[in-house]
Amino acid sequence: MEYIPLLVLILSFICLLAIGTPVAWSIVVSATLTLLVSIPMLPALTTVSQRIAAGLDSFALLAIPFFVLSGELMNRGGIARRLIDFAKTLVGALPGGLALINIISAMLMGAIAGSALASASAMGTMLGPEMEKQGYDREFGAAVNITSATTGLVIPPSNILIVYSLASGGASIAALFLAGYIPGILTGFFLMVVAWAWARKKGYRTGERSSVGQVFRTFLDAVPSLLLLVVVIGGIVAGIFTATEASAIAVLYSLVLGLVYREITLDNLPRIALDASATTAIVMLLIGASMSMSWALSYEHIPQEISEGLLGITDNKVAILILINLILLLVGIFMDMTPAVLIFTPIFLPVVTKLGIDPVHFGIIMILNLCIGLCTPPVGSVLFVGVGIAKTSIEKVVRPLLPLFVAMIIALFLVTYIPELSLWLPSLFDL
């Protein structure tokens, strides 16, 4: 009897996804059916509705619409082009230079905009045609763009780290932001190694070597954009403002920058605000729905049962982390990142904390895991954006994607078992 709610939850959710029900509604219906095992229909429906509303009643979540809006402003304000120009002068002369430029630009763009979709869209649109013109396979360019775009979800400011802070019951956002730097850069480095090796094997030509003067000029051009990182992250870590206040400052800064660059006009603002609102609505609906399922899980004591089951198999930290990583990799294939974080954090966090694993470290492990899922079908949003922009198909992109997946998994393995990679920077600031 005690496993019936879990079975109802899993089977109903899988069946609803299989017949094409949107993820948010699949979550809500599954949560309702799970509660119906224990309570009558009217209380179940009322509770789910209340949980959806209560799940959005959080001051920290105000940061998400602001960061989404700042990302839209940056994407249209000429920031991506300046970051690409700077990256070109750094690595353009190396084998596979354009692929390396894509990865570095995506890391910088993701760190500033905090959006994998914005990064994939900007880099794919600007660099894709140029890579093809210089003899790169279209599929290889798409694969590099797709995987590198996810680094911005680990490198702060990141909306998904804010969501994890909410789901974990209070992990410091400032600590999570600092913890993401080294893992995000490490992932980008491994992707660059694979791209460089693939380019040498295929014989892709290199670009011209840049002079010190060119590097300096493009750096100066990119400095106003890069300063946003100093303002936002520096202000949060120094305690000058909260993550929510920082997101509002990011909007103001990116708007002023776009107007100064003359790539955003007042006529553009309604469309930018509308696009940001649409993205925010999707994210918030997923958060509200996921919070209702999290409450249903808690009410039916499912996290405790799973925790006891995992610890009943073994109490070896290495084995438990391998098992959790495998589960999360599988979850990432079938579920979008936001609901996955909100649903599985309450399930796995009690397990790892019993084993002495820091919640901040586990948050970075979880996000890195789910980043891989964004690049895989059937619900990999970044995969679909990257393939669509490159005008190719998923089947053709799979082959160049595989070695890049291996690079991401190696980075995940190192971050999982070397906690200092995540915790060193937060410890420097006593976070």
Side-chain angles (χ1 to χ4, degrees), residues 381-405:
S381 53
V382 178
L383 172 66
F384 293 122
V385 168
V387 166
I389 289 171
K391 295 181 174 62
T392 184
S393 66
I394 292 172
E395 293 79 9
K396 292 178 180 178
V397 172
V398 166
R399 187 166 175 265
L401 266 178
L402 291 177
L404 294 165
F405 280 153

Side-chain angles (χ1 to χ4, degrees), residues 222-271:
V223 159
S225 306
L226 297 172
L227 273 177
L228 180 61
L229 287 176
V230 178
V231 172
V232 172
I233 307 303
I236 294 172
V237 171
I240 298 172
F241 38 69
T242 65
T244 305
E245 292 162 346
S247 65
I249 290 168
V251 170
L252 181 62
Y253 187 98
S254 53
L255 175 59
V256 170
L257 205 57
L259 293 172
V260 169
Y261 285 156
R262 296 184 179 179
E263 300 206 24
I264 292 178
T265 65
L266 294 179
D267 292 338
N268 300 145
L269 293 181
R271 169 52 58 183

Side-chain angles (χ1 to χ4, degrees), residues 80-81 83-89 91-93 96-99 101-102 105 122-138 140-142 204-208 389-390:
R81 181 171 54 77
L83 295 177
I84 289 172
D85 290 342
F86 176 48
K88 276 183 180 177
T89 61
V91 296
L98 282 176
I101 290 165
N102 192 320
S105 301
M123 299 307 142
T125 302
M126 294 184 188
L127 284 172
E130 190 172 346
M131 291 178 77
E132 200 172 343
K133 194 185 299 180
Q134 293 199 16
Y136 287 73
D137 290 338
R138 181 183 296 185
F140 171 70
Y204 296 139
R205 68 186 187 195
T206 59
E208 296 179 3
I389 289 171

Side-chain angles (χ1 to χ4, degrees), residues 22-46:
V23 175
W25 303 121
S26 299
I27 291 170
V28 169
V29 174
S30 298
T32 305
L33 292 175
T34 303
L35 286 176
L36 287 174
V37 173
S38 304
I39 59 178
M41 181 176 289
L42 184 59
L45 292 172
T46 305

Side-chain angles (χ1 to χ4, degrees), residues 67-362:
F67 276 131
V68 169
L69 178 56
S70 68
E72 288 287 341
L73 289 166
M74 292 169 199
N75 203 19
R76 314 225 187 151
I79 289 174
R81 181 171 54 77
R82 286 165 174 80
L83 295 177
I84 289 172
D85 290 342
F86 176 48
K88 276 183 180 177
T89 61
L90 293 178
V91 296
L94 297 175
L98 282 176
L100 304 183
I101 290 165
N102 192 320
I103 295 168
I104 291 177
S105 301
M107 291 167 67
L108 293 172
M109 182 67 182
I112 292 171
S115 168
L117 293 177
S119 177
S121 175
M123 299 307 142
T125 302
M126 294 184 188
L127 284 172
E130 190 172 346
M131 291 178 77
E132 200 172 343
K133 194 185 299 180
Q134 293 199 16
Y136 287 73
D137 290 338
R138 181 183 296 185
E139 289 71 29
F140 171 70
V144 168
N145 184 38
I146 289 162
T147 50
S148 63
T150 62
T151 57
L153 297 174
V154 186
I155 301 173
S158 168
N159 290 336
I160 198 64
L161 290 176
I162 297 171
V163 173
Y164 172 80
S165 172
L166 175 72
S168 66
S172 166
I173 294 176
L176 286 165
F177 276 8
L178 285 178
Y181 273 112
I182 295 176
I185 292 169
L186 185 69
T187 303
F189 172 75
F190 282 124
L191 290 175
M192 289 175 70
V193 170
V194 170
W196 173 81
W198 186 283
R200 288 200 65 180
K201 179 184 174 184
K202 295 287 185 178
Y204 296 139
R205 68 186 187 195
T206 59
E208 296 179 3
R209 188 178 297 276
S210 301
S211 66
V212 174
Q214 287 174 310
V215 175
F216 185 66
R217 278 194 301 275
T218 56
F219 172 71
L220 285 181
D221 204 23
V223 159
S225 306
L226 297 172
L227 273 177
L228 180 61
L229 287 176
V230 178
V231 172
V232 172
I233 307 303
I236 294 172
V237 171
I240 298 172
F241 38 69
T242 65
T244 305
E245 292 162 346
S247 65
I249 290 168
V251 170
L252 181 62
Y253 187 98
S254 53
L255 175 59
V256 170
L257 205 57
L259 293 172
V260 169
Y261 285 156
R262 296 184 179 179
E263 300 206 24
I264 292 178
T265 65
L266 294 179
D267 292 338
N268 300 145
L269 293 181
R271 169 52 58 183
I272 291 171
L274 189 62
D275 290 346
S277 299
T279 302
T280 300
I282 294 168
V283 173
M284 290 302 186
L285 178 60
L286 284 169
I287 289 174
S290 302
M291 294 302 284
S292 71
M293 182 177 277
S294 295
W295 193 91
L297 288 169
S298 177
Y299 181 80
E300 299 291 350
H301 305 291
I302 291 173
Q304 293 89 325
E305 291 172 12
I306 294 176
S307 175
E308 290 169 8
L310 285 173
L311 294 173
I313 296 170
T314 177
D315 60 357
N316 182 281
K317 186 189 294 187
V318 173
I320 288 289
L321 284 173
I322 289 175
L323 192 58
I324 290 175
N325 274 330
L326 289 173
I327 293 171
L328 288 174
L329 286 170
L330 184 64
V331 165
I333 292 173
F334 297 103
M335 191 181 291
D336 195 61
M337 182 176 275
T338 299
V341 167
L342 287 165
I343 292 167
F344 287 92
T345 297
I347 291 174
F348 291 133
L349 192 57
V351 179
V352 297
T353 50
K354 282 183 182 177
L355 297 173
I357 296 168
D358 192 287
V360 170
H361 176 213
F362 181 68

